[in-house]
Amino acid sequence: MILRADKRRGMTLLELVIALALFGILSAFVMQVMTSVVNLWSSGERRGQGDLVFAAAVERFRGDLNALHTGSRGWLIIDEWEARAASEGVVAWYLPRIRFLADGASLPDVDPSRREPVEVMWTVVPENATSRFGRLVRFTNIESPQRTLRDRGTLQYMMRGEEGLTVMDGVLWTEFLATDSDGKLSKRLRIDSDMPFDFPSKIDLTIEVVSGNARKQPASLDDPIAGEPEAVRLRGIAPITLPEYALIGNEWVRIDGSFPNIRFSARGERGTLPGEYPQRTPVYMPSHYQSTNRVAVDGRRLH
């Protein structure tokens, strides 16, 4: 009898080990691709939600500007207020605001009768006593000799009482920039009712916001900062685009480079002072939004 060898055989131990190693490498690659896709989707969704929130804020801001009282009684003030006094190693924190008199007929949400002039203020209010985060808030007040947004006491009372409407959360930077008919730009402006000249022709609104996962899980310093480093390495999820400014602690820094390796092109920006920060200090990289908003009748005062 002739015995024939069975050609069918199982995998050897070496082949099994090689197969498991290849499977592990493939699994790691797939997980890396999936993680990248999820991060991109999450970043895109976050940006999309931010776009919608800002668009809604701009729509309301433009509605208020369109109601600007351009008659002889009209007034407009763009200035700053001290949100936090200076302390050791920290300069005072000033936040922008814009106030003006509006026609109540165009703001039925404030004056249902549509007969009274309405005072409107847009400003940023700190979220708490220690954070640099704020809320973009809209305040309104039916004009009255006893209560006016031009009075400091009334302003403080209203902001403490949370009377305003929060339009955006997670605000790190805001700017109101007025442009007159000659193209001159101004961050501070006061036009009272007894002044005969025109209002600005347009007002730019700039906001930088950190919200969602970008705020819950911000990038952080991979190494501590001491002195004046030229470059730092971050850890965490990369932003969609690298912003011009980042906030480390209470300090604004101007940055460039590519994540996770960034360079400081300037420190102590936007009224802050350079400091030292331990490892894992959060580094907030805001999304930047800007809109140009035309003033009613190009700001011409009607007599």
Side-chain angles (χ1 to χ4, degrees), residues 95-132:
L95 292 171
R97 63 187 174 191
I98 179 172
R99 293 169 283 166
F100 53 88
L101 186 68
D103 184 1
S106 301
L107 299 175
D109 61 315
V110 183
D111 178 27
S113 70
R114 303 193 179 203
R115 292 194 300 266
E116 302 294 334
V118 174
E119 297 174 337
V120 178
M121 177 174 69
W122 285 68
T123 189
V124 177
V125 178
E127 287 187 354
N128 54 56
T130 59
S131 171
R132 290 286 293 200

Side-chain angles (χ1 to χ4, degrees), residues 66-100:
N66 287 334
L68 175 69
H69 197 309
T70 56
S72 57
R73 296 181 56 236
W75 55 268
L76 180 145
I77 304 171
I78 300 177
D79 60 3
E80 296 177 325
W81 65 283
E82 187 180 80
R84 195 172 298 156
S87 58
E88 185 177 355
V90 179
V91 298
W93 185 23
Y94 291 93
L95 292 171
R97 63 187 174 191
I98 179 172
R99 293 169 283 166
F100 53 88

Side-chain angles (χ1 to χ4, degrees), residues 10-25:
M11 296 179 64
T12 66
L13 180 60
L14 179 60
E15 290 172 334
L16 181 60
V17 171
I18 293 174
L20 290 175
L22 291 173
F23 180 76
I25 294 172

Side-chain angles (χ1 to χ4, degrees), residues 80 106 167 233 241 294:
E80 296 177 325
S106 301
V167 181
R233 182 177 176 85
T241 57
R294 294 284 178 182

Side-chain angles (χ1 to χ4, degrees), residues 120-166:
V120 178
M121 177 174 69
W122 285 68
T123 189
V124 177
V125 178
E127 287 187 354
N128 54 56
T130 59
S131 171
R132 290 286 293 200
F133 281 88
R135 299 176 290 111
L136 180 65
V137 183
R138 173 188 184 246
F139 293 91
T140 57
N141 175 60
I142 295 179
E143 187 184 42
S144 167
Q146 292 77 33
R147 176 181 162 114
T148 172
L149 292 181
R150 287 189 280 185
D151 177 67
R152 182 177 179 181
T154 300
L155 291 172
Q156 293 177 340
Y157 172 80
M158 293 183 72
M159 285 189 284
R160 284 198 305 267
E162 298 291 329
E163 293 191 28
L165 171 68
T166 296

